[in-house]
Amino acid sequence: MDPFEDTLRRLRETFHAGHTRPAEFRAAQLRGLGRFLQDNKQLLHDALAQDLHKSAFESEVSEIAISQGEVTLALRNLRAWMKDEHVPKNLATQLDSAFIRKEPFGLVLIIAPWNYPLNLTLVPLVGALAAGNCVVLKPSEISRSIEKILAEELPRYLDQSCFAVVLGGPQETGQLLEHRFDYIFFTGSPRVGKIVMTAAAKHLTPVTLELGGKNPCYVDDDCDPQIVANRVAWFRYFNAGQTCVAPDYLLCSPEMQERLLPALQSTITRFYGDDPQSSPNLGRIINQKHFQRLRALLGCGRVAIGGQSDESDRYIAPTVLVDVQETEPVMQEEIFGPILPIMNVRGLDEAIEFINRREKPLALYAFSNSSQVVKRILAQTSSGGFCGNDGFMHMTLASLPFGGVGASGIGQYHGKFSFDTFSHHRACLLRSPGMEKLNAIRYPPHSPRRLRMLLVAMEARGCSCTLL
């Protein structure tokens, strides 16, 4: 017996009945989501600590506050986002109404990951609810404590006729993907992303894939090594490195490496103490499988800083690797842990060439006191997002889209981009049933004069128009 059939049928019936379309209903769901975050804040902090050893600071900054901010933004702008968008017209349509209507897709599926199990579940959910969809939410089974709260508590705050949480591992997710959805939003690895896209293709279902990859970080010789160390260490070791936009490797000259290593050592000690394992500010690896994978990567190159591990505690020390070869595993797979390899390049040209011969990353970082260096890297590379002289901070702006390109993903979200992602942008033209004489020039029998008149009438006026 199919475990999902009744749930999906119920949600589709709700959508087809039109319950989710009114702005008042959408706002009520968003307010419910906001109450969920407020009422269960301590419970969520505790669950994040259990799953990932996240500090209260990390949980608040990267999970709860971001989710709450998206709810607040959507509530403040919902009616404006929902409004029809009127577009320029040509002479032939001057008496008509031309607009884009943002309508919900229908029944959407959100598959969430474990590394930011609240943020990466609720932020897309905000967009889906604001856009008026019915939603099936599949949280990660790996972050078990958060999964339990999402399954048991969250449905109490939302209308269960249009929302459902489904549980399970890869087998259950595979069964779920056999069903037809109107949109699928997936966050996770490129390997699983290909499985999701293949399943979606069977039903021609549109998808957003938020994937990952190896994010480069170029450090120019013209830099203050201590400032670079502070910023790189913060966003490499945040959440124990289990962040899709964390820098996966540094590119710098051998001379900058010599200046950077003592600065990184000093920063790591200042952030996490002489014994980082006892620091309340350093997270842990999510499970034994990922711990074993990361410990194997410690054998690549040479350990310059850190390198310690404790299997019983799923602890990997903040680590820096040098003398790394491009062919080694640590440079072939996304690290997703507190390990930072340094690759040496002779200069900016070689760094750009190195970046461009690899898959397009989700994020790219460049440090330099020269704005020209930063702008040149921005101009001559491609990535989902870019940040000069810092990391992560581009993600704090809901006014910027978040998403990958090529192997690092398809589609984008955050803020209004989330609403647009979960909305079908429907092209609409409303014409008068009368005034038929105005249409006569397009009807046979054709003549050169009529053709000239029609082409003039169809000329673009601030927009691109095509006669199909």
Side-chain angles (χ1 to χ4, degrees):
M1 184 176 178
D2 190 324
F4 306 117
E5 188 172 347
D6 289 344
T7 298
L8 300 185
R9 184 189 305 113
R10 169 172 53 84
L11 297 180
R12 280 203 180 278
E13 288 173 355
T14 298
F15 181 76
H16 290 310
H19 292 322
T20 64
R21 288 181 178 265
E24 295 79 6
F25 181 85
R26 304 184 196 191
Q29 301 312 297
L30 292 170
R31 285 192 293 268
L33 193 51
R35 287 196 302 273
F36 163 77
L37 287 166
Q38 291 300 316
D39 295 350
N40 297 280
K41 180 174 284 193
Q42 189 57 53
L43 199 61
L44 292 167
H45 274 293
D46 294 343
L48 290 164
Q50 290 164 12
D51 286 338
L52 288 149
H53 198 265
K54 286 198 182 191
S55 67
F57 177 92
E58 283 197 6
S59 294
E60 188 66 37
V61 167
S62 65
E63 301 266 17
I64 296 173
I66 286 181
S67 301
Q68 185 65 63
E70 291 278 339
V71 171
T72 302
L73 183 69
L75 280 169
R76 187 184 303 134
N77 295 281
L78 181 61
R79 290 183 183 276
W81 292 349
M82 289 176 64
K83 280 184 179 178
D84 291 342
E85 180 182 338
H86 290 272
V87 299
K89 295 175 286 187
N90 54 24
L91 187 61
T93 57
Q94 277 304 296
L95 301 179
D96 306 326
S97 177
F99 57 91
I100 300 168
R101 173 154 294 175
K102 288 66 171 283
E103 60 181 29
F105 277 105
L107 179 57
V108 306
L109 171 63
I110 297 174
I111 304 175
W114 54 261
N115 59 320
Y116 289 87
L118 193 67
N119 174 338
L120 299 180
T121 301
L122 297 191
V123 172
L125 177 60
V126 169
L129 294 175
N133 297 282
C134 288
V135 182
V136 173
L137 195 64
K138 170 60 183 70
S140 173
E141 75 285 1
I142 296 175
S143 46
R144 295 176 182 174
S145 300
I146 285 292
E147 179 196 41
K148 187 173 188 290
I149 296 173
L150 292 173
E152 295 179 0
E153 300 296 330
L154 181 56
R156 299 176 185 176
Y157 293 84
L158 300 175
D159 188 325
Q160 295 186 46
S161 71
C162 66
F163 172 80
V165 177
V166 299
L167 305 179
Q171 182 178 344
E172 288 78 11
T173 303
Q175 289 179 301
L176 191 61
L177 287 169
E178 291 175 5
H179 292 270
R180 183 179 68 83
F181 291 91
D182 299 301
Y183 202 94
I184 297 175
F185 188 104
F186 168 80
T187 305
S189 69
R191 179 186 64 82
V192 181
K194 292 177 182 178
I195 296 172
V196 171
M197 196 169 185
T198 300
K202 294 177 183 177
H203 303 286
L204 296 179
T205 299
V207 298
T208 289
L209 302 179
E210 295 294 343
L211 309 178
K214 297 196 69 63
N215 305 313
C217 180
Y218 175 68
V219 182
D220 191 34
D221 282 347
D222 183 12
C223 277
D224 182 326
Q226 193 58 63
I227 290 176
V228 174
N230 293 342
R231 298 180 186 185
V232 167
W234 178 67
F235 66 89
R236 169 71 272 190
Y237 303 125
F238 194 95
N239 196 32
Q242 297 164 116
T243 305
C244 58
V245 290
D248 231 53
Y249 60 95
L250 293 189
L251 292 172
C252 67
S253 68
E255 294 76 21
M256 174 48 75
Q257 177 179 303
E258 290 304 308
R259 298 167 61 201
L260 200 52
L261 285 174
L264 281 167
Q265 179 64 78
S266 172
T267 297
I268 290 168
T269 302
R270 191 170 72 254
F271 284 4
Y272 306 112
D274 292 325
D275 178 18
Q277 188 171 1
S278 63
S279 170
N281 299 307
L282 186 66
R284 294 296 184 269
I285 308 309
I286 185 68
N287 59 22
Q288 292 296 329
K289 176 184 175 182
H290 283 281
F291 174 85
Q292 297 294 350
R293 178 184 61 81
L294 288 165
R295 188 157 70 174
L297 295 181
L298 294 174
C300 299
R302 174 174 63 84
V303 173
I305 299 172
Q308 299 85 2
S309 63
D310 182 346
E311 184 174 358
S312 65
D313 192 26
R314 302 197 312 276
Y315 166 75
I316 302 281
T319 298
V320 178
L321 301 177
V322 296
D323 301 336
V324 173
Q325 301 300 312
E326 187 179 356
T327 54
E328 292 185 277
V330 78
M331 287 301 296
Q332 294 299 312
E333 63 184 70
E334 185 176 6
I335 295 171
F336 232 61
I339 301 170
L340 181 64
I342 299 180
M343 293 283 296
N344 290 146
V345 290
R346 288 186 294 271
L348 181 58
D349 289 340
E350 187 176 330
I352 291 172
E353 189 275 330
F354 186 94
I355 292 166
N356 285 339
R357 72 168 181 260
R358 301 168 74 87
E359 296 283 12
K360 294 180 180 180
L362 183 58
L364 197 159
Y365 307 100
F367 285 84
S368 178
N369 288 333
S370 167
S371 62
Q372 294 306 310
V373 169
V374 174
K375 289 177 180 178
R376 189 176 159 205
I377 294 178
L378 174 59
Q380 296 184 7
T381 61
S382 178
S383 61
F386 180 89
C387 190
N389 289 309
D390 210 345
F392 282 1
M393 295 309 292
H394 63 292
M395 292 184 60
T396 66
L397 290 175
S399 54
L400 287 175
F402 176 75
V405 57
S408 56
I410 299 169
Q412 55 196 18
Y413 73 123
H414 284 188
K416 185 177 184 294
F417 300 101
S418 297
F419 176 86
D420 289 339
T421 283
F422 285 102
S423 300
H424 167 56
H425 290 220
R426 190 178 188 182
C428 302
L429 182 71
L430 305 183
R431 310 206 75 188
S432 167
M435 296 182 290
E436 183 64 0
K437 286 186 177 180
L438 294 177
N439 295 315
I441 60 171
R442 69 190 188 187
Y443 299 148
H446 301 303
S447 69
R449 179 173 176 272
R450 285 188 171 191
L451 176 60
R452 287 194 300 272
M453 292 173 63
L454 183 59
L455 291 177
V456 168
M458 287 170 47
E459 279 183 3
R461 289 186 153 196
C463 68
S464 177
C465 302
T466 305
L467 180 65
L468 297 178

